[in-house]
Structures are given as C-alpha cells and as structure tokens.
Amino acid sequence: MTERRQRRRIRDRARLQNGLSIVPRLFTVGNIFCWYYAAISTLRGNYDNAAVAIGLGIVLDALDGRIARLTKTASDFGVQLDSIADVLTFGIAPAMLAFSWGLQSIVGIEANIAKHVHQLGWLATFAFVVCGALRLARFNIQTKKPPDISSKRYFVGLPIPAGAGMIASVVHFFKEPILLVGSALLWYLLILLVAFLMISTVRYLSFKELDVRKPRPRRALFMTAMLLGLIIFYSEVVLLTLAIIYVSSGPIAKLVPFSSRFAQIVRRAIASRPEPSEPAHGNIKVNP
C-alpha cells in the first residue's frame, strides 16, 4: 500500500508540474503579443501605445522567469521561447518605434540632409537589434556555465529589456514625434549608446537575490505600493527617471573606481611635492 501511495503522489506531482508549466509560457506568449501590438501601433503612428506595449512586455518578461523558478517548471524549451520573445519585443519593436518616431524630422528639409538623417537612423536602429541579439546569445551561454556569486547579483552588459525600456520611456514622455534635425541626431546617438552598453562588459544589478517567498516588512510593501501609485498617476516622469537611473548606474559604478584612483594619485603627487624654502633674512640686501 505504501508503494502505491508513493507512486500516486509522484504521478500527482508530475501532473501538477505539467499543468503549472503552461503558466509561465502564457506570460511569454503575452510578451510576443506585446511585440505584435507595438509593431502595428508603430506602423499606424500610435507611438505612445507602442511604448506602453513594450513596457507591458517588460513586466511580463520579468514575471515569466520568476514564476518558472518558483514553480520549478523551467525548461530548455521555455528558455528558447523566451529568447525569441525578447528579440521580438525588446529588439525589433523598439527599433521600429525609434526609427519611425525620429524619422518625422526629415519632413520639410533638404533632400541631401534628409538622406543622411534617414541613413543614420537606419544604422542606429539596426545596431540596436544586432547588439540586443548578441546580448541575449551571450546571456544564454553564461547561464549554462557554473553559477557564481557575481552572476546572481550582476548582469554583464545592459539587459535588452532595459534598453528597450529606455527607448519606450523617452517616447512615452514626449509622445509627439521629433520634428527637429538636431534632436533626431541626438536621438539616434542615444540609441547607439544604449546598443553599445548592451554588448559592453559594464555590470548592472540583476535583482535576482530578491526572494518573494520570504516575508517582507511593511516598509517595503508601502514603498512598492507608492511606486505603483506614482507610475499610475505620473507614468511619464517616473518611468523615464527609473530608466535613466538604471541605464546610467552601470557606467557610473565603473567610473567611480577610476575617479578614486585618480584622486589618490593627485593626493600623492601633492604630498610628495617639496615645500618651497624661505630665504634667510641675513642674506637679504637692501639697496640704498
């Protein structure tokens, strides 16, 4: 009897796990739908709707991995499907949005200048897609290696959802497309910078050590509720601020050691400099 009960328990657990495995896949499918909606909205000129869809995709992408780990239903199939969804929602959709949103500036200007702006926008957005795909490929390779302490705390390179969130937050903040050529050039340079950060070795916090199963204090719950309220009522300012803080946190953290070393070198140079000797009063000659 005991053996039969154990077999039934094992079967029930397997069935339950198979049933739970569909839950994170539904979030991934929802992420792919966000890409489709964002692409259609961009083609129709509804840029703010496309930016909101990309932001919703970021939330779904964070939830599917978390739920898969909590339910212990992570699999190679889910990893591959999630990678495809990330390329679509956080690579192609933001590139289409950034290209079309900044391309409105070429209306009414000289054909030669418009040609160069168009080419720069094409190159910048294509570089964003390629760097995002390379970032995902490197991440998939790193996940197969034996994990260490630093890999749980930091990402190597800017995560592609954060890069997409930077583009979406800017579009969501300004809403109206760019109409000046100078602003369009700065916009495409920003996209190139974000693309470079994705393939760089700059470290970013991963927040993987946050365990939702542990009881949280009331203060953390209050702060989370306040943040959600701010995003609901002041989404433009709050989301853009969060995106800027996270994207700039990596380079700032990397520059801090260099600045401290430079300050130490300057202090040593000042300390080793010999003090100027004062002339003796007895050797001073006074002219009549």
Side-chain angles (χ1 to χ4, degrees):
M1 295 294 293
T2 57
E3 294 181 357
R4 292 181 179 179
R5 290 179 181 178
Q6 290 179 356
R7 291 177 182 177
R8 288 179 181 178
R9 290 178 181 177
I10 294 173
R11 291 176 183 176
D12 293 338
R13 290 178 182 176
R15 291 176 181 176
L16 179 61
Q17 192 170 8
N18 291 331
L20 292 175
S21 63
I22 196 174
V23 177
R25 307 297 171 262
L26 291 176
F27 282 92
T28 306
V29 173
N31 191 5
I32 297 175
F33 175 78
C34 290
W35 158 75
Y36 183 75
Y37 183 83
I40 296 298
S41 298
T42 301
L43 294 176
R44 291 181 176 180
N46 299 326
Y47 302 121
D48 189 40
N49 293 341
V52 172
I54 294 173
L56 182 59
I58 295 174
V59 176
L60 295 176
D61 180 69
L63 290 176
D64 66 353
R66 178 73 67 175
I67 292 174
R69 288 190 293 269
L70 289 176
T71 57
K72 297 180 180 180
T73 56
S75 61
D76 294 336
F77 175 79
V79 172
Q80 300 302 323
L81 183 63
D82 184 69
S83 298
I84 295 174
D86 290 348
V87 172
L88 294 175
T89 309
F90 308 134
I92 297 177
M96 293 176 59
L97 177 61
F99 180 78
S100 181
W101 191 68
L103 201 64
Q104 301 296 325
S105 61
I106 67 174
V107 178
I109 62 176
E110 298 180 1
N112 190 20
I113 299 177
K115 178 182 177 182
H116 290 296
V117 174
H118 186 276
Q119 291 176 348
L120 178 61
W122 192 91
L123 291 173
T125 53
F126 179 69
F128 182 87
V129 176
V130 173
C131 292
L134 294 174
R135 171 68 179 79
L136 288 171
R138 183 176 64 181
F139 176 77
N140 292 336
I141 293 174
Q142 290 175 348
T143 53
K144 294 182 179 180
K145 295 180 179 180
D148 53 0
I149 299 176
S150 61
S151 63
K152 293 182 179 180
R153 296 181 59 187
Y154 298 100
F155 289 122
V156 179
L158 180 68
I160 186 173
M166 186 70 207
I167 294 176
S169 62
V170 172
V171 176
H172 182 60
F173 180 83
F174 292 100
K175 290 183 174 56
E176 296 297 328
I178 296 175
L179 300 177
L180 299 177
V181 177
S183 300
L185 295 177
L186 292 176
W187 172 240
Y188 292 133
L189 290 177
L190 174 64
I191 295 172
L192 286 174
L193 176 61
V194 173
F196 172 75
L197 289 175
M198 286 193 294
I199 60 173
S200 66
T201 57
V202 179
R203 291 188 174 186
Y204 287 88
L205 288 175
S206 63
F207 303 104
K208 288 184 179 180
E209 294 184 346
L210 295 177
D211 192 357
V212 297
R213 294 173 295 181
K214 295 181 180 180
R216 292 295 173 183
R218 297 178 180 178
R219 183 172 57 183
L221 183 61
F222 172 76
M223 294 299 295
T224 304
M226 290 298 297
L227 180 61
L228 292 176
L230 289 174
I231 291 176
I232 292 173
F233 293 107
Y234 306 100
S235 60
E236 294 85 354
V237 179
V238 174
L239 293 177
L240 181 61
T241 303
L242 293 176
I244 292 175
I245 290 174
Y246 187 78
V247 172
S248 60
S249 64
I252 291 175
K254 198 174 185 62
L255 290 176
V256 166
F258 291 101
S259 61
S260 61
R261 291 176 185 175
F262 180 76
Q264 291 178 359
I265 293 173
V266 172
R267 292 173 184 174
R268 292 176 183 175
I270 295 175
S272 61
R273 179 183 295 181
E275 297 181 358
S277 57
E278 297 181 358
H281 295 285
N283 297 330
I284 298 177
K285 294 181 180 180
V286 180
N287 295 327

